[in-house]
Coordinates of all heavy atoms in Angstrom, one line a residue:
M1 N -156.3 -1.2 -82.1 CA -154.9 -1.3 -81.8 C -154.4 -2.6 -82.5 O -155.1 -3.6 -82.5 CB -154.6 -1.4 -80.3 CG -153.1 -1.4 -80.0 SD -152.8 -1.2 -78.2 CE -152.8 0.6 -78.1
D2 N -153.3 -2.5 -83.1 CA -152.6 -3.6 -83.9 C -152.2 -4.7 -82.9 O -151.7 -4.5 -81.9 CB -151.4 -3.1 -84.6 CG -150.7 -4.1 -85.5 OD1 -151.4 -4.8 -86.2 OD2 -149.5 -4.2 -85.3
I3 N -152.5 -5.9 -83.4 CA -152.2 -7.1 -82.5 C -150.7 -7.3 -82.2 O -150.3 -7.7 -81.1 CB -152.8 -8.4 -83.1 CG1 -152.8 -9.5 -82.1 CG2 -152.0 -8.8 -84.4 CD1 -153.7 -10.7 -82.4
E4 N -149.8 -6.8 -83.1 CA -148.4 -6.9 -82.9 C -148.0 -5.9 -81.8 O -147.1 -6.3 -81.0 CB -147.6 -6.5 -84.2 CG -147.9 -7.4 -85.4 CD -147.3 -8.8 -85.2 OE1 -146.2 -8.9 -84.5 OE2 -147.9 -9.8 -85.7
V5 N -148.6 -4.8 -81.7 CA -148.3 -3.8 -80.7 C -148.8 -4.3 -79.3 O -148.0 -4.2 -78.3 CB -149.0 -2.4 -81.0 CG1 -148.9 -1.5 -79.9 CG2 -148.4 -1.9 -82.3
V6 N -149.9 -4.9 -79.3 CA -150.5 -5.5 -78.1 C -149.6 -6.6 -77.6 O -149.3 -6.7 -76.4 CB -151.9 -5.9 -78.2 CG1 -152.4 -6.6 -77.0 CG2 -152.8 -4.7 -78.5
A7 N -149.2 -7.5 -78.5 CA -148.4 -8.6 -78.2 C -147.0 -8.2 -77.6 O -146.6 -8.8 -76.6 CB -148.1 -9.5 -79.4
K8 N -146.4 -7.1 -78.1 CA -145.2 -6.6 -77.6 C -145.4 -6.1 -76.2 O -144.6 -6.4 -75.3 CB -144.5 -5.6 -78.5 CG -143.2 -5.0 -78.0 CD -142.5 -4.3 -79.0 CE -141.2 -3.7 -78.5 NZ -140.3 -4.6 -77.8
A9 N -146.4 -5.3 -76.0 CA -146.7 -4.8 -74.6 C -146.9 -5.9 -73.6 O -146.3 -5.8 -72.5 CB -147.9 -3.9 -74.7
L10 N -147.7 -6.9 -74.0 CA -147.9 -8.0 -73.1 C -146.7 -8.8 -72.8 O -146.4 -9.3 -71.7 CB -149.1 -8.9 -73.6 CG -150.4 -8.2 -73.6 CD1 -151.5 -9.1 -74.3 CD2 -150.9 -7.9 -72.2
K11 N -145.8 -9.0 -73.8 CA -144.6 -9.7 -73.7 C -143.7 -9.0 -72.7 O -143.1 -9.6 -71.8 CB -143.8 -9.8 -75.0 CG -142.5 -10.4 -74.9 CD -141.7 -10.3 -76.2 CE -140.3 -10.6 -76.0 NZ -139.4 -9.5 -76.3
E12 N -143.6 -7.7 -72.8 CA -142.7 -6.9 -71.9 C -143.3 -7.0 -70.4 O -142.6 -7.0 -69.5 CB -142.6 -5.5 -72.3 CG -141.9 -5.3 -73.7 CD -140.5 -6.1 -73.8 OE1 -139.8 -6.3 -72.8 OE2 -140.2 -6.4 -74.9
L13 N -144.6 -6.9 -70.3 CA -145.2 -7.0 -69.0 C -145.2 -8.4 -68.4 O -145.5 -8.6 -67.2 CB -146.7 -6.5 -69.0 CG -146.8 -5.0 -69.3 CD1 -148.3 -4.6 -69.5 CD2 -146.2 -4.2 -68.2
G14 N -144.9 -9.4 -69.2 CA -144.8 -10.8 -68.8 C -143.6 -11.1 -68.0 O -143.5 -12.3 -67.5
H15 N -142.7 -10.2 -67.8 CA -141.5 -10.4 -67.0 C -141.7 -9.8 -65.6 O -142.2 -8.7 -65.5 CB -140.3 -9.8 -67.7 CG -139.0 -10.1 -67.1 ND1 -138.6 -9.5 -65.9 CD2 -138.0 -10.9 -67.4 CE1 -137.4 -9.9 -65.6 NE2 -137.0 -10.8 -66.5
T16 N -141.5 -10.6 -64.6 CA -141.8 -10.1 -63.2 C -141.2 -8.8 -62.8 O -141.8 -8.0 -62.2 CB -141.5 -11.2 -62.2 OG1 -140.1 -11.6 -62.3 CG2 -142.4 -12.5 -62.4
T17 N -139.9 -8.6 -63.2 CA -139.3 -7.4 -62.8 C -139.9 -6.2 -63.6 O -140.1 -5.2 -63.0 CB -137.7 -7.5 -63.1 OG1 -137.2 -8.5 -62.3 CG2 -137.0 -6.2 -62.7
R18 N -140.1 -6.4 -64.9 CA -140.7 -5.3 -65.6 C -142.1 -5.0 -65.2 O -142.5 -3.8 -65.1 CB -140.7 -5.6 -67.1 CG -139.3 -5.4 -67.7 CD -139.3 -5.5 -69.2 NE -139.5 -6.8 -69.8 CZ -138.6 -7.7 -70.0 NH1 -137.3 -7.4 -69.7 NH2 -138.9 -8.8 -70.5
L19 N -142.9 -6.0 -64.8 CA -144.2 -5.8 -64.3 C -144.2 -5.0 -63.0 O -145.0 -4.1 -62.7 CB -145.0 -7.1 -64.2 CG -146.4 -7.0 -63.7 CD1 -147.2 -6.2 -64.7 CD2 -147.0 -8.4 -63.6
T20 N -143.2 -5.4 -62.1 CA -143.1 -4.7 -60.9 C -142.7 -3.2 -61.1 O -143.3 -2.3 -60.4 CB -142.0 -5.4 -60.0 OG1 -142.4 -6.7 -59.8 CG2 -141.8 -4.7 -58.7
I21 N -141.8 -3.0 -62.0 CA -141.4 -1.6 -62.3 C -142.6 -0.8 -62.9 O -142.9 0.3 -62.4 CB -140.3 -1.6 -63.4 CG1 -139.0 -2.1 -62.8 CG2 -140.1 -0.2 -64.0 CD1 -137.9 -2.5 -63.8
F22 N -143.3 -1.4 -63.8 CA -144.5 -0.8 -64.4 C -145.5 -0.5 -63.4 O -146.1 0.6 -63.3 CB -145.1 -1.6 -65.5 CG -146.1 -0.9 -66.3 CD1 -145.8 0.2 -67.1 CD2 -147.4 -1.3 -66.3 CE1 -146.8 0.8 -67.9 CE2 -148.4 -0.7 -67.0 CZ -148.1 0.4 -67.8
K23 N -145.8 -1.4 -62.5 CA -146.8 -1.2 -61.4 C -146.4 0.0 -60.5 O -147.2 0.8 -60.2 CB -146.9 -2.5 -60.6 CG -148.0 -2.4 -59.5 CD -148.2 -3.7 -58.8 CE -149.2 -3.6 -57.7 NZ -149.3 -4.8 -57.0
R24 N -145.1 0.1 -60.2 CA -144.6 1.2 -59.4 C -144.8 2.6 -60.1 O -145.2 3.5 -59.5 CB -143.2 1.1 -59.0 CG -142.8 -0.1 -58.2 CD -143.1 0.2 -56.7 NE -142.9 -1.0 -55.9 CZ -142.2 -1.1 -54.8 NH1 -141.6 0.0 -54.3 NH2 -142.0 -2.2 -54.2
V25 N -144.5 2.6 -61.4 CA -144.7 3.8 -62.2 C -146.2 4.2 -62.3 O -146.5 5.3 -62.2 CB -144.0 3.7 -63.5 CG1 -144.2 4.9 -64.4 CG2 -142.5 3.4 -63.4
V26 N -147.0 3.2 -62.5 CA -148.4 3.5 -62.6 C -149.0 4.0 -61.3 O -149.7 5.0 -61.3 CB -149.2 2.2 -63.0 CG1 -150.7 2.3 -62.8 CG2 -148.9 1.8 -64.5
R27 N -148.5 3.5 -60.2 CA -149.0 4.0 -58.9 C -148.6 5.4 -58.7 O -149.2 6.2 -58.0 CB -148.4 3.1 -57.8 CG -149.0 1.7 -57.7 CD -148.4 0.9 -56.6 NE -148.8 1.5 -55.3 CZ -148.5 1.0 -54.2 NH1 -147.7 0.0 -54.1 NH2 -148.9 1.6 -53.1
A28 N -147.5 5.9 -59.3 CA -147.0 7.2 -59.1 C -147.8 8.3 -59.8 O -147.8 9.4 -59.5 CB -145.5 7.3 -59.6
G29 N -148.7 7.8 -60.8 CA -149.6 8.7 -61.5 C -148.9 9.5 -62.6 O -147.8 9.0 -63.1
F30 N -149.5 10.6 -63.0 CA -149.0 11.3 -64.2 C -147.7 12.0 -64.0 O -147.1 12.4 -64.9 CB -150.1 12.3 -64.6 CG -151.3 11.6 -65.2 CD1 -152.4 11.4 -64.4 CD2 -151.3 11.1 -66.5 CE1 -153.6 10.8 -64.8 CE2 -152.5 10.5 -67.0 CZ -153.6 10.3 -66.1
Q31 N -147.3 12.2 -62.7 CA -146.0 12.9 -62.5 C -144.8 12.0 -62.7 O -143.7 12.4 -62.9 CB -146.0 13.5 -61.1 CG -146.9 14.6 -60.9 CD -146.7 15.8 -61.8 OE1 -145.5 16.2 -62.0 NE2 -147.7 16.2 -62.6
G32 N -145.1 10.6 -62.6 CA -144.0 9.7 -62.7 C -143.2 9.5 -61.5 O -143.5 10.0 -60.4
V33 N -142.1 8.7 -61.6 CA -141.3 8.5 -60.5 C -139.8 8.5 -61.0 O -139.5 8.1 -62.1 CB -141.6 7.1 -59.9 CG1 -141.4 5.9 -60.9 CG2 -140.8 6.8 -58.6
A34 N -138.9 9.1 -60.1 CA -137.5 9.2 -60.5 C -136.9 7.8 -60.6 O -137.2 6.9 -59.8 CB -136.8 10.0 -59.4
V35 N -136.0 7.6 -61.5 CA -135.3 6.3 -61.7 C -134.6 5.9 -60.5 O -134.6 4.8 -60.1 CB -134.4 6.4 -63.0 CG1 -133.6 5.1 -63.1 CG2 -135.3 6.5 -64.2
G36 N -133.9 6.9 -59.8 CA -133.2 6.6 -58.6 C -134.1 6.1 -57.5 O -133.7 5.2 -56.8
S37 N -135.3 6.6 -57.4 CA -136.2 6.2 -56.4 C -136.7 4.8 -56.7 O -136.8 3.9 -55.8 CB -137.4 7.1 -56.4 OG -138.4 6.7 -55.5
L38 N -136.9 4.5 -58.0 CA -137.2 3.1 -58.4 C -136.1 2.1 -58.0 O -136.4 1.1 -57.5 CB -137.5 3.0 -59.9 CG -138.8 3.4 -60.5 CD1 -138.7 3.4 -62.0 CD2 -139.9 2.4 -60.0
Q39 N -134.9 2.5 -58.3 CA -133.8 1.6 -58.0 C -133.7 1.4 -56.5 O -133.5 0.3 -56.0 CB -132.5 2.3 -58.5 CG -131.3 1.3 -58.3 CD -130.0 1.9 -58.8 OE1 -130.0 3.1 -59.2 NE2 -128.9 1.2 -58.7
E40 N -133.9 2.4 -55.7 CA -133.9 2.3 -54.3 C -135.0 1.4 -53.8 O -134.8 0.5 -52.9 CB -134.0 3.7 -53.6 CG -133.8 3.7 -52.2 CD -133.9 5.2 -51.7 OE1 -133.0 6.0 -52.0 OE2 -134.8 5.5 -50.9
Q41 N -136.2 1.6 -54.3 CA -137.4 0.8 -53.9 C -137.2 -0.7 -54.2 O -137.6 -1.5 -53.5 CB -138.7 1.3 -54.5 CG -139.1 2.7 -54.1 CD -140.3 3.2 -54.9 OE1 -140.9 2.5 -55.7 NE2 -140.5 4.5 -54.8
L42 N -136.7 -0.9 -55.4 CA -136.6 -2.3 -55.9 C -135.3 -3.0 -55.6 O -135.2 -4.2 -55.8 CB -136.9 -2.3 -57.4 CG -138.2 -1.7 -57.9 CD1 -138.3 -1.7 -59.4 CD2 -139.4 -2.5 -57.3
Q43 N -134.3 -2.3 -55.2 CA -133.1 -2.9 -54.8 C -132.5 -3.7 -55.9 O -132.1 -4.9 -55.7 CB -133.2 -3.7 -53.5 CG -133.6 -2.9 -52.3 CD -132.5 -2.0 -51.8 OE1 -131.4 -2.4 -51.6 NE2 -132.8 -0.7 -51.8
I44 N -132.4 -3.1 -57.1 CA -131.8 -3.8 -58.3 C -130.7 -2.9 -58.8 O -130.8 -1.7 -58.7 CB -132.8 -4.2 -59.3 CG1 -133.5 -3.0 -59.9 CG2 -133.8 -5.2 -58.8 CD1 -134.5 -3.3 -61.0
P45 N -129.6 -3.5 -59.4 CA -128.6 -2.7 -60.0 C -129.1 -1.7 -61.1 O -130.0 -2.0 -61.8 CB -127.6 -3.7 -60.6 CG -128.0 -5.0 -59.9 CD -129.4 -4.9 -59.6
G46 N -128.4 -0.6 -61.2 CA -128.8 0.4 -62.1 C -128.8 -0.1 -63.6 O -129.7 0.3 -64.3
S47 N -127.8 -0.9 -63.9 CA -127.8 -1.4 -65.3 C -129.0 -2.3 -65.6 O -129.5 -2.3 -66.7 CB -126.5 -2.1 -65.6 OG -126.3 -3.2 -64.7
T48 N -129.4 -3.1 -64.6 CA -130.5 -4.0 -64.8 C -131.8 -3.2 -64.9 O -132.6 -3.5 -65.8 CB -130.6 -5.0 -63.6 OG1 -129.4 -5.7 -63.5 CG2 -131.8 -5.9 -63.7
L49 N -131.9 -2.2 -64.1 CA -133.1 -1.3 -64.1 C -133.2 -0.6 -65.4 O -134.3 -0.6 -66.1 CB -133.1 -0.3 -63.0 CG -134.2 0.7 -62.9 CD1 -135.6 -0.1 -62.7 CD2 -134.0 1.7 -61.8
S50 N -132.1 -0.1 -65.9 CA -132.0 0.6 -67.2 C -132.5 -0.3 -68.3 O -133.2 0.1 -69.2 CB -130.6 1.1 -67.4 OG -130.5 1.8 -68.7
H51 N -132.0 -1.6 -68.3 CA -132.4 -2.5 -69.3 C -133.9 -2.8 -69.3 O -134.5 -2.7 -70.4 CB -131.7 -3.9 -69.1 CG -132.2 -5.0 -69.8 ND1 -132.0 -5.2 -71.2 CD2 -133.0 -6.0 -69.4 CE1 -132.6 -6.3 -71.6 NE2 -133.2 -6.8 -70.6
H52 N -134.5 -3.0 -68.2 CA -135.9 -3.2 -68.1 C -136.7 -2.0 -68.5 O -137.8 -2.1 -69.2 CB -136.3 -3.7 -66.7 CG -135.8 -5.1 -66.4 ND1 -136.1 -6.2 -67.2 CD2 -135.0 -5.5 -65.4 CE1 -135.5 -7.2 -66.7 NE2 -134.9 -6.9 -65.6
I53 N -136.3 -0.8 -68.0 CA -137.0 0.4 -68.4 C -137.0 0.6 -69.9 O -138.0 1.0 -70.6 CB -136.4 1.6 -67.7 CG1 -136.8 1.6 -66.2 CG2 -136.9 2.9 -68.3 CD1 -136.1 2.6 -65.3
S54 N -135.8 0.3 -70.5 CA -135.7 0.5 -72.0 C -136.7 -0.4 -72.7 O -137.3 0.0 -73.7 CB -134.2 0.1 -72.4 OG -134.1 0.1 -73.8
S55 N -136.9 -1.7 -72.2 CA -137.8 -2.6 -72.8 C -139.2 -2.0 -72.7 O -140.0 -2.1 -73.7 CB -137.8 -3.9 -72.1 OG -136.5 -4.5 -72.4
L56 N -139.6 -1.5 -71.6 CA -140.9 -0.9 -71.4 C -141.1 0.4 -72.2 O -142.2 0.6 -72.8 CB -141.2 -0.6 -69.9 CG -141.3 -1.8 -69.0 CD1 -141.2 -1.4 -67.5 CD2 -142.5 -2.6 -69.3
V57 N -140.1 1.1 -72.4 CA -140.1 2.3 -73.3 C -140.3 1.9 -74.7 O -141.2 2.5 -75.5 CB -138.9 3.2 -73.1 CG1 -138.8 4.3 -74.2 CG2 -138.9 3.9 -71.7
S58 N -139.6 0.9 -75.2 CA -139.7 0.4 -76.6 C -141.1 -0.2 -76.9 O -141.5 -0.1 -78.0 CB -138.6 -0.6 -76.9 OG -138.9 -1.9 -76.4
A59 N -141.7 -0.7 -75.9 CA -143.1 -1.2 -76.0 C -144.1 -0.1 -75.9 O -145.3 -0.3 -76.1 CB -143.4 -2.3 -75.0
G60 N -143.7 1.1 -75.6 CA -144.6 2.3 -75.6 C -145.4 2.4 -74.3 O -146.3 3.2 -74.1
L61 N -145.0 1.6 -73.3 CA -145.7 1.6 -72.0 C -145.2 2.7 -71.0 O -145.9 3.1 -70.1 CB -145.5 0.2 -71.3 CG -146.2 -0.9 -72.1 CD1 -145.7 -2.3 -71.6 CD2 -147.7 -0.8 -71.9
L62 N -143.9 3.1 -71.2 CA -143.3 4.1 -70.4 C -142.7 5.2 -71.3 O -142.3 4.9 -72.4 CB -142.2 3.6 -69.5 CG -142.5 2.6 -68.4 CD1 -141.2 2.3 -67.6 CD2 -143.5 3.2 -67.4
S63 N -142.7 6.4 -70.8 CA -141.9 7.5 -71.4 C -141.0 8.0 -70.3 O -141.2 7.7 -69.1 CB -142.8 8.6 -72.0 OG -143.5 9.2 -71.0
Q64 N -140.0 8.8 -70.7 CA -139.1 9.4 -69.7 C -139.0 10.9 -69.9 O -139.1 11.4 -71.0 CB -137.7 8.7 -69.8 CG -137.7 7.2 -69.5 CD -136.3 6.6 -69.5 OE1 -135.7 6.6 -70.6 NE2 -135.9 6.1 -68.4
R65 N -138.7 11.6 -68.8 CA -138.6 13.0 -68.9 C -137.4 13.4 -67.9 O -137.3 12.8 -66.8 CB -139.9 13.7 -68.6 CG -139.9 14.6 -67.5 CD -141.3 15.3 -67.2 NE -141.4 15.4 -65.8 CZ -142.0 14.5 -65.0 NH1 -142.6 13.5 -65.5 NH2 -142.0 14.7 -63.7
R66 N -136.7 14.3 -68.3 CA -135.6 14.8 -67.5 C -135.9 16.1 -66.9 O -136.4 17.0 -67.6 CB -134.3 14.9 -68.3 CG -133.1 15.2 -67.5 CD -131.8 15.1 -68.3 NE -131.5 13.7 -68.6 CZ -131.0 12.8 -67.8 NH1 -130.7 13.1 -66.6 NH2 -130.7 11.6 -68.2
E67 N -135.6 16.2 -65.6 CA -135.7 17.5 -64.9 C -134.4 17.7 -64.2 O -134.1 17.1 -63.2 CB -136.9 17.5 -63.9 CG -138.3 17.5 -64.5 CD -139.4 17.5 -63.5 OE1 -139.1 17.8 -62.3 OE2 -140.5 17.3 -63.8
G68 N -133.6 18.6 -64.8 CA -132.2 18.8 -64.2 C -131.4 17.5 -64.4 O -131.3 17.0 -65.5
R69 N -131.0 17.0 -63.3 CA -130.2 15.8 -63.3 C -131.0 14.5 -63.0 O -130.5 13.4 -63.0 CB -129.1 15.9 -62.3 CG -128.1 17.0 -62.6 CD -127.0 17.0 -61.6 NE -126.4 15.7 -61.4 CZ -125.1 15.5 -61.3 NH1 -124.3 16.5 -61.2 NH2 -124.6 14.3 -61.1
T70 N -132.3 14.7 -62.8 CA -133.2 13.6 -62.5 C -134.0 13.1 -63.7 O -134.6 13.9 -64.4 CB -134.1 14.0 -61.3 OG1 -133.4 14.5 -60.2 CG2 -135.0 12.8 -60.9
L71 N -134.0 11.8 -63.9 CA -134.7 11.2 -65.0 C -135.9 10.5 -64.4 O -135.8 9.7 -63.4 CB -133.8 10.2 -65.7 CG -134.4 9.5 -66.9 CD1 -134.7 10.5 -68.0 CD2 -133.5 8.4 -67.4
F72 N -137.1 10.9 -64.9 CA -138.4 10.3 -64.4 C -138.9 9.4 -65.4 O -138.8 9.6 -66.6 CB -139.4 11.5 -64.2 CG -139.1 12.3 -63.0 CD1 -138.2 13.4 -63.1 CD2 -139.7 12.0 -61.8 CE1 -138.0 14.2 -62.0 CE2 -139.5 12.8 -60.7 CZ -138.6 13.9 -60.8
C73 N -139.6 8.3 -64.9 CA -140.4 7.4 -65.8 C -141.8 7.7 -65.5 O -142.3 7.9 -64.4 CB -140.1 5.9 -65.3 SG -138.5 5.3 -65.8
V74 N -142.6 7.8 -66.7 CA -144.0 8.1 -66.6 C -144.7 7.0 -67.4 O -144.3 6.7 -68.5 CB -144.2 9.5 -67.2 CG1 -145.7 9.8 -67.2 CG2 -143.4 10.6 -66.6
A75 N -145.8 6.5 -66.8 CA -146.6 5.5 -67.5 C -147.4 6.2 -68.6 O -147.9 7.3 -68.5 CB -147.6 4.9 -66.5
E76 N -147.5 5.4 -69.7 CA -148.2 5.9 -70.9 C -149.6 5.3 -70.7 O -149.9 4.2 -71.2 CB -147.6 5.4 -72.2 CG -146.3 6.2 -72.5 CD -146.6 7.7 -72.7 OE1 -147.6 8.0 -73.3 OE2 -145.7 8.5 -72.3
F77 N -150.5 6.0 -70.0 CA -151.8 5.4 -69.6 C -152.7 5.2 -70.8 O -153.5 4.2 -70.8 CB -152.5 6.4 -68.6 CG -151.8 6.4 -67.3 CD1 -151.0 7.4 -66.9 CD2 -152.0 5.3 -66.4 CE1 -150.4 7.5 -65.6 CE2 -151.4 5.3 -65.2 CZ -150.6 6.4 -64.8
A78 N -152.5 6.0 -71.9 CA -153.3 5.7 -73.1 C -153.0 4.4 -73.7 O -153.8 3.7 -74.2 CB -153.1 6.9 -74.1
K79 N -151.7 4.1 -73.7 CA -151.2 2.8 -74.2 C -151.8 1.6 -73.4 O -152.3 0.6 -73.9 CB -149.7 2.8 -74.3 CG -149.1 1.5 -74.8 CD -149.5 1.3 -76.3 CE -148.6 0.4 -77.0 NZ -147.6 1.1 -77.8
L80 N -151.7 1.8 -72.1 CA -152.2 0.8 -71.2 C -153.7 0.6 -71.4 O -154.2 -0.6 -71.5 CB -152.0 1.2 -69.7 CG -152.6 0.3 -68.6 CD1 -152.0 -1.2 -68.8 CD2 -152.3 0.8 -67.3
E81 N -154.5 1.7 -71.5 CA -155.9 1.6 -71.8 C -156.2 0.9 -73.2 O -157.1 0.2 -73.3 CB -156.5 3.0 -71.8 CG -156.6 3.6 -70.4 CD -157.0 5.0 -70.4 OE1 -157.2 5.6 -71.4 OE2 -157.1 5.6 -69.2
G82 N -155.3 1.2 -74.1 CA -155.4 0.6 -75.5 C -155.3 -0.9 -75.4 O -156.0 -1.7 -76.0
V83 N -154.3 -1.4 -74.7 CA -154.0 -2.8 -74.5 C -155.2 -3.5 -73.8 O -155.7 -4.5 -74.2 CB -152.7 -3.1 -73.8 CG1 -152.5 -4.5 -73.4 CG2 -151.5 -2.6 -74.6
I84 N -155.6 -2.9 -72.7 CA -156.8 -3.5 -72.0 C -158.0 -3.4 -72.8 O -158.7 -4.4 -72.9 CB -157.0 -2.7 -70.7 CG1 -155.8 -2.9 -69.7 CG2 -158.3 -3.1 -70.0 CD1 -155.8 -2.0 -68.5
G85 N -158.2 -2.3 -73.5 CA -159.4 -2.2 -74.4 C -159.4 -3.3 -75.5 O -160.4 -3.8 -75.9
F86 N -158.2 -3.5 -76.1 CA -158.0 -4.6 -77.1 C -158.5 -5.9 -76.6 O -159.2 -6.6 -77.3 CB -156.6 -4.7 -77.5 CG -156.3 -5.7 -78.6 CD1 -156.4 -5.4 -79.9 CD2 -155.9 -7.0 -78.2 CE1 -156.2 -6.4 -80.9 CE2 -155.7 -8.0 -79.1 CZ -155.8 -7.7 -80.5
L87 N -158.2 -6.2 -75.4 CA -158.6 -7.5 -74.8 C -160.1 -7.5 -74.5 O -160.8 -8.5 -74.6 CB -157.8 -7.8 -73.6 CG -156.3 -8.0 -73.8 CD1 -155.6 -8.1 -72.4 CD2 -156.0 -9.2 -74.6
Q88 N -160.6 -6.4 -74.1 CA -162.1 -6.3 -73.7 C -163.0 -6.1 -74.9 O -164.2 -6.5 -74.8 CB -162.3 -5.1 -72.7 CG -161.7 -5.3 -71.4 CD -161.9 -4.1 -70.5 OE1 -161.8 -3.0 -70.9 NE2 -162.1 -4.4 -69.2
D89 N -162.5 -5.5 -75.9 CA -163.4 -5.2 -77.0 C -164.2 -6.3 -77.6 O -165.4 -6.2 -78.0 CB -162.6 -4.5 -78.2 CG -162.3 -3.1 -77.9 OD1 -162.9 -2.5 -77.0 OD2 -161.5 -2.5 -78.7
E90 N -163.6 -7.5 -77.6 CA -164.3 -8.6 -78.2 C -164.8 -9.6 -77.2 O -165.2 -10.8 -77.5 CB -163.5 -9.3 -79.3 CG -163.2 -8.3 -80.4 CD -162.5 -9.0 -81.6 OE1 -162.8 -10.1 -81.8 OE2 -161.7 -8.3 -82.2
C91 N -164.9 -9.2 -75.9 CA -165.3 -10.1 -74.9 C -166.7 -10.6 -75.2 O -167.7 -9.8 -75.4 CB -165.3 -9.4 -73.6 SG -165.8 -10.4 -72.2
C92 N -166.9 -11.9 -75.2 CA -168.2 -12.6 -75.4 C -168.9 -12.2 -76.7 O -170.1 -12.4 -76.8 CB -169.1 -12.3 -74.2 SG -168.3 -12.6 -72.6
I93 N -168.1 -11.7 -77.7 CA -168.7 -11.3 -78.9 C -169.4 -12.4 -79.7 O -170.3 -12.3 -80.4 CB -167.7 -10.5 -79.8 CG1 -168.5 -9.6 -80.8 CG2 -166.8 -11.4 -80.5 CD1 -167.6 -8.6 -81.5
E94 N -168.9 -13.6 -79.5 CA -169.4 -14.8 -80.2 C -170.4 -15.6 -79.4 O -171.0 -16.5 -79.9 CB -168.3 -15.7 -80.7 CG -167.4 -15.1 -81.7 CD -166.3 -16.0 -82.2 OE1 -166.2 -17.1 -81.7 OE2 -165.5 -15.5 -83.1
E95 N -170.7 -15.1 -78.2 CA -171.7 -15.8 -77.4 C -173.1 -15.4 -77.9 O -173.4 -14.2 -78.1 CB -171.5 -15.3 -75.9 CG -172.4 -16.0 -75.0 CD -172.1 -15.6 -73.5 OE1 -172.1 -14.4 -73.3 OE2 -171.9 -16.5 -72.7
E96 N -173.9 -16.4 -78.0 CA -175.2 -16.1 -78.5 C -176.1 -15.6 -77.3 O -175.8 -15.9 -76.1 CB -175.9 -17.4 -79.0 CG -175.2 -17.9 -80.3 CD -175.9 -19.1 -80.8 OE1 -177.1 -19.3 -80.6 OE2 -175.2 -19.9 -81.5
C97 N -177.0 -14.8 -77.6 CA -177.9 -14.3 -76.6 C -178.6 -15.4 -75.9 O -179.0 -16.4 -76.6 CB -178.9 -13.3 -77.1 SG -178.1 -11.8 -77.7
A98 N -178.9 -15.3 -74.6 CA -179.6 -16.4 -73.9 C -181.1 -16.4 -74.5 O -181.7 -15.3 -74.7 CB -179.6 -16.1 -72.4
P99 N -181.6 -17.5 -74.7 CA -183.0 -17.6 -75.2 C -184.0 -17.0 -74.2 O -183.8 -17.1 -73.0 CB -183.3 -19.1 -75.3 CG -182.3 -19.8 -74.5 CD -181.1 -18.8 -74.4
K100 N -185.0 -16.3 -74.7 CA -185.9 -15.7 -73.8 C -186.8 -16.8 -73.2 O -187.2 -17.7 -73.9 CB -186.8 -14.7 -74.6 CG -186.0 -13.5 -75.1 CD -186.9 -12.5 -75.8 CE -186.0 -11.3 -76.2 NZ -186.8 -10.2 -76.8
L101 N -187.1 -16.6 -72.0 CA -188.0 -17.5 -71.3 C -189.5 -17.3 -71.7 O -189.9 -16.2 -71.8 CB -187.9 -17.4 -69.8 CG -186.5 -17.8 -69.2 CD1 -186.5 -17.5 -67.7 CD2 -186.1 -19.2 -69.5
S102 N -190.1 -18.4 -72.0 CA -191.5 -18.2 -72.4 C -192.4 -17.9 -71.1 O -192.1 -18.5 -70.0 CB -192.0 -19.6 -73.0 OG -193.4 -19.5 -73.2
T103 N -193.3 -17.1 -71.3 CA -194.2 -16.7 -70.2 C -195.4 -17.6 -70.2 O -196.3 -17.5 -69.3 CB -194.6 -15.2 -70.2 OG1 -195.2 -15.0 -71.5 CG2 -193.4 -14.3 -70.0
Q104 N -195.5 -18.5 -71.2 CA -196.7 -19.4 -71.3 C -196.5 -20.6 -70.4 O -195.4 -21.1 -70.3 CB -196.9 -19.8 -72.7 CG -197.3 -18.6 -73.7 CD -197.4 -19.1 -75.1 OE1 -197.1 -20.3 -75.4 NE2 -197.8 -18.2 -76.0
K105 N -197.6 -21.1 -69.9 CA -197.5 -22.3 -69.0 C -198.3 -23.4 -69.6 O -199.3 -23.3 -70.2 CB -197.9 -22.0 -67.6 CG -196.9 -21.1 -66.9 CD -197.2 -21.0 -65.5 CE -196.2 -20.1 -64.8 NZ -196.4 -20.0 -63.5

């Protein structure tokens, strides 16, 4: 995954309100959660919620789907896994192996 893409995702998740929104959507699973329900749960104005959702969508962390008059937010789990994987892929890569203990006395 490109470092610019990861940086944007982490930047958007670095805001407490957006992180709270994203966490709620992730908890909802693959079906997502209705925007109205998010607004009710978080007690924030619709325009503010819309702004934060838009930022998460532009980072590729959320997608939206409409069912009738209801708009749902759905977590992009593959993107989340990609961001986490990006951070984990090189974990300890430069660490040298521990020297083997000698069995001789």
Side-chain angles (χ1 to χ4, degrees):
M1 184 172 275
D2 181 52
I3 196 164
E4 299 289 330
V5 172
V6 173
K8 179 163 179 53
L10 292 174
K11 174 187 167 243
E12 299 306 335
L13 291 174
H15 188 282
T16 56
T17 302
R18 284 192 287 273
L19 184 57
T20 301
I21 292 166
F22 188 68
K23 185 176 176 183
R24 296 276 176 134
V25 175
V26 165
R27 289 180 69 179
F30 291 98
Q31 293 302 308
V33 61
V35 171
S37 178
L38 276 174
Q39 184 180 4
E40 188 177 294
Q41 291 172 15
L42 301 175
Q43 296 292 302
I44 58 176
S47 59
T48 302
L49 178 60
S50 178
H51 165 75
H52 290 303
I53 289 172
S54 177
S55 295
L56 292 166
V57 168
S58 77
L61 294 164
L62 292 183
S63 62
Q64 294 183 298
R65 125 179 141 264
R66 184 169 294 282
E67 290 183 12
R69 295 180 53 141
T70 305
L71 186 62
F72 288 85
C73 288
V74 181
E76 290 296 325
F77 291 104
K79 180 65 158 260
L80 176 60
E81 289 171 358
V83 170
I84 292 168
F86 178 86
L87 297 172
Q88 289 179 322
D89 282 348
E90 296 189 33
C91 181
C92 306
I93 202 165
E94 293 182 0
E95 184 176 53
E96 293 182 30
C97 294
K100 292 184 179 183
L101 295 176
S102 173
T103 57
Q104 298 176 351
K105 291 188 182 183

